[in-house]
Amino acid sequence: MRNSISPISIFLLLVVLFPIFPPLTRCSILPLNESDNLIEEICKQTPHYDLCLSYLQSNPQSSNADAKGLAQIMGDILLACATEELNYIEGLIKQAPEPELERSLAYCAELYIQVVKYTLPQALDALSKGEYKFANYGIADAGKEAQTCEKKFSGSTDSPVTDRNNLVENLSEVAKAIINVLLKG
Ligand SMILES: *[C@@H]1O[C@H](CO)[C@@H](O)[C@H](O)[C@H]1NC(C)=O
Ligand SMILES: *[C@@H]1O[C@H](CO)[C@@H](O)[C@H](O)[C@H]1NC(C)=O
């Protein structure tokens, strides 16, 4: 009779059913989701942890991304938000505001056009090529332009875009910090 189970098969079966390493019972809670873990690790090294976490976690590509991928996703988010801000400013200008406000808005629009059309796309391109220092230069610039826009409103004209400028500035700081992690690594 040759239909008996060979000792090797039994051994393999035992290994599958009862792996010796690691033990079946582990003295720990369930391991953290690897990707969420990386996002948290990275966001902790930025000046706006909550903002970083919420934006990265709401991007479906983040779950498979490594640190460089997360930097690129944050760069894309920054570009998307700066673009939205530009559209919003252009919408306000179309509503024919009073002249002083209109001048400030037009000034901001020029800054953001520069950021959205040239500075950030170049920075993102550099980032994808691993040219982190150049990338950081452009990403930091987006934050600076947001500040410059905000300062243009003074005295009688309250800025209608304070929150949006702050968001762009904060996202720029987050992206910059993530790239700094890459530079250190
Ligand atoms: C890990 O997180 C990602 C994104 O948050 C999710 O899609 C995936 O299902 C999670 N995996 C586990 C094992 O929880
Ligand atoms: C940006 O960061 C500043 C300083 O941490 C904070 O006060 C502000 O609420 C943030 N704004 C946005 C829109 O993230």
Side-chain angles (χ1 to χ4, degrees):
M1 298 294 257
R2 281 278 161 219
N3 64 348
S4 60
I5 299 165
S6 75
I8 281 286
S9 310
I10 290 171
F11 176 69
L12 287 176
L13 188 67
L14 284 176
V15 166
V16 168
L17 290 180
F18 306 104
I20 303 166
F21 303 108
L24 280 178
T25 306
R26 304 174 61 151
C27 179
S28 68
I29 53 173
L30 274 179
L32 272 180
N33 190 323
E34 284 284 332
S35 54
D36 285 353
N37 211 0
L38 178 64
I39 293 175
E40 283 171 22
E41 286 300 310
I42 294 275
C43 287
K44 270 182 204 152
Q45 299 179 65
T46 75
H48 305 282
Y49 177 75
D50 291 338
L51 188 75
C52 173
L53 204 62
S54 57
Y55 272 88
L56 283 183
Q57 280 180 338
S58 46
N59 185 307
Q61 287 163 324
S62 298
S63 52
N64 303 316
D66 58 8
K68 184 184 174 188
L70 292 178
Q72 284 173 307
I73 290 166
M74 190 48 79
D76 289 342
I77 290 168
L78 175 60
L79 176 58
C81 290
T83 305
E84 265 180 34
E85 158 120 25
L86 175 59
N87 292 338
Y88 184 75
I89 290 171
E90 285 175 338
L92 290 178
I93 292 172
K94 283 206 193 92
Q95 293 169 19
E98 49 98 5
E100 197 187 338
L101 180 58
E102 181 169 7
R103 267 195 300 278
S104 301
L105 288 170
Y107 176 82
C108 286
E110 273 180 47
L111 297 178
Y112 273 102
I113 286 171
Q114 195 70 23
V115 165
V116 162
K117 290 218 156 122
Y118 305 107
T119 314
L120 280 181
Q122 281 170 7
L124 294 179
D125 187 49
L127 181 55
S128 70
K129 292 178 186 154
E131 296 163 6
Y132 298 138
K133 282 199 173 139
F134 183 78
N136 241 352
Y137 183 78
I139 279 170
D141 186 65
K144 273 189 221 129
E145 303 304 347
Q147 275 181 327
T148 308
C149 162
E150 189 57 28
K151 283 194 195 123
K152 191 71 182 172
F153 302 91
S154 60
S156 56
T157 53
D158 279 341
S159 167
V161 285
T162 303
D163 286 349
R164 289 162 192 270
N165 279 330
N166 285 344
L167 179 65
V168 169
E169 191 184 340
N170 292 0
L171 288 174
S172 150
E173 286 169 1
V174 168
K176 214 169 61 177
I178 299 178
I179 295 171
N180 280 336
V181 172
L182 296 173
L183 276 168
K184 275 185 270 164

